[in-house]
Amino acid sequence: MEDYRKTKGRIFDIQRYSIHDGYGIRTIVFLKGCVLRCRWCCNPESQEYAVQTMIVRSEPQVIGRDVTAEEVLRTVEKDRAYYRRTGGGMTLSGGESLCQPEFAAALLRGAKEAGISTAMESMACAKWEVIESVLPWLDQYLLDIKHINAAKHQEFTGKSNEVMLENAVKIAAMQKKYQVELSIRVPVIPGFNDTEQEIREIAAFTGRLEHVKRLHLLPYHRLGQDKYAGLGREYPMGDVEPPSDRTMHMLLQTAKQASGVECQIGG
Ligand code: SF4
């Protein structure tokens, strides 16, 4: 057995039988740590790399555990039959997996070498060398693009978007070399990016990326709200409601026209 499977990392959850975040039935591995602080984040327990205590249904729960890639892969490999039948596999999520690049690469490599398809949810906020180190083991890059305007991106997520947009162009250009498929995902957040103009700009950027065929609009939801209370934090989104179906369908039409790629709500 190769040494890379002994690489250690920190996760906070593994969800089996998911039908989101990639094709078919998937196992989602959630890695701890993120460089952004998006106001709408539905996994606030992912943001800090540190192990934390969160109150869940009135009970304290430890969030974060250190594991080897091998331990995670043993769980992932249990559902191989489902992956085979549905075209599914393993998805890395978080947090931002690229905050733990050696661990992410070890998980992806281990899955690929076991014949399991791989995907990673990421906003590509990392040095290019870090991103390129995981591409050989990745089948699908699910890349978040949140806004085209750098100042607004900074205001609502804590970081500007220049590096992420530059990396999006590079990842798109590397799809053939690494046989990875890039899909763009846009969280649609009221008061942040839910106007036709803002979605048009993101969709037009997507349309200019080489070989990109798919754009997903992911409507804001409030499912993470209770976690903020559990962590002793105020919910940054206040009373903001999810976008209506009508708004989402209008934005879907805008995205289709501006991008020229396949667009869908959810994903
Ligand atoms: S990038 Fe994702 S995990 Fe990180 S803060 Fe934003 S929504 Fe949360």
Side-chain angles (χ1 to χ4, degrees):
M1 184 161 302
E2 290 247 23
D3 270 344
Y4 76 84
R5 286 178 65 110
K6 305 285 182 207
T7 308
K8 283 193 178 153
R10 186 167 289 172
I11 64 169
F12 65 97
D13 202 4
I14 299 178
Q15 281 176 12
R16 295 168 67 188
Y17 315 118
S18 171
I19 51 163
H20 302 290
D21 303 324
Y23 300 116
I25 292 177
R26 311 197 67 83
T27 298
I28 318 285
V29 183
F30 292 87
L31 279 71
K32 264 287 224 174
C34 188
V35 285
L36 299 193
R37 292 293 180 269
C38 306
R39 291 190 194 171
W40 57 89
C41 182
C42 63
N43 287 332
E45 76 278 37
S46 75
Q47 294 175 349
E48 297 290 334
Y49 178 74
V51 175
Q52 293 168 286
T53 301
M54 181 167 79
I55 305 299
V56 180
R57 289 181 287 278
S58 307
E59 295 290 333
Q61 192 173 307
V62 175
I63 305 293
R65 63 191 166 99
D66 294 336
V67 289
T68 61
E70 190 173 4
E71 284 171 71
V72 174
L73 289 165
R74 270 203 294 269
T75 303
V76 171
E77 285 168 12
K78 283 182 189 167
D79 296 325
R80 192 193 287 274
Y82 291 107
Y83 310 145
R84 202 178 306 122
R85 258 182 260 142
T86 65
M90 178 188 78
T91 300
L92 301 189
S93 183
E96 164 61 73
S97 307
L98 297 174
C99 291
Q100 301 186 58
E102 291 87 11
F103 182 54
L107 289 170
L108 294 169
R109 180 177 173 185
K112 282 293 281 181
E113 290 188 353
I116 294 170
S117 173
T118 59
M120 180 176 74
E121 248 195 311
S122 161
M123 71 285 177
C125 186
K127 288 186 179 161
W128 173 248
E129 306 84 82
V130 168
I131 294 175
E132 201 169 18
S133 73
V134 302
L135 291 183
W137 318 111
L138 199 53
D139 294 316
Q140 203 184 7
Y141 202 126
L142 305 167
L143 175 64
D144 261 32
I145 296 184
K146 303 167 198 292
H147 213 288
I148 294 299
N149 181 289
K152 202 158 185 192
H153 197 280
Q154 168 96 43
E155 183 188 346
F156 281 75
T157 72
K159 270 204 189 295
S160 183
N161 59 359
E162 280 106 345
V163 171
M164 302 171 219
L165 297 181
E166 278 168 24
N167 283 334
V169 173
K170 290 182 186 167
I171 297 164
M174 288 288 165
Q175 288 180 94
K176 286 210 166 136
K177 178 176 177 187
Y178 290 111
Q179 297 188 322
V180 56
E181 178 190 301
L182 175 62
S183 298
I184 302 301
R185 312 203 324 162
V186 184
V188 177
I189 313 297
F192 171 58
N193 65 0
D194 66 333
T195 65
E196 281 192 271
Q197 173 67 19
E198 285 160 315
I199 294 299
R200 190 178 298 118
E201 286 173 5
I202 299 173
F205 177 84
T206 302
R208 291 193 296 274
L209 293 172
E210 282 179 62
H211 315 298
V212 170
K213 296 190 183 65
R214 211 162 280 111
L215 185 152
H216 297 202
L217 297 179
L218 310 179
Y220 163 70
H221 59 75
R222 299 180 62 90
L223 297 178
Q225 184 178 4
D226 291 348
K227 297 181 181 176
Y228 285 83
L231 291 165
R233 291 174 56 185
E234 200 172 317
Y235 187 51
M237 294 298 284
D239 297 328
V240 172
E241 290 294 327
S244 65
D245 287 351
R246 192 163 165 272
T247 299
M248 288 304 301
H249 281 98
M250 179 189 76
L251 296 177
L252 180 65
Q253 295 313 317
T254 303
K256 282 180 180 169
Q257 284 163 10
S259 69
V261 304
E262 203 180 295
C263 298
Q264 68 179 64
I265 297 171

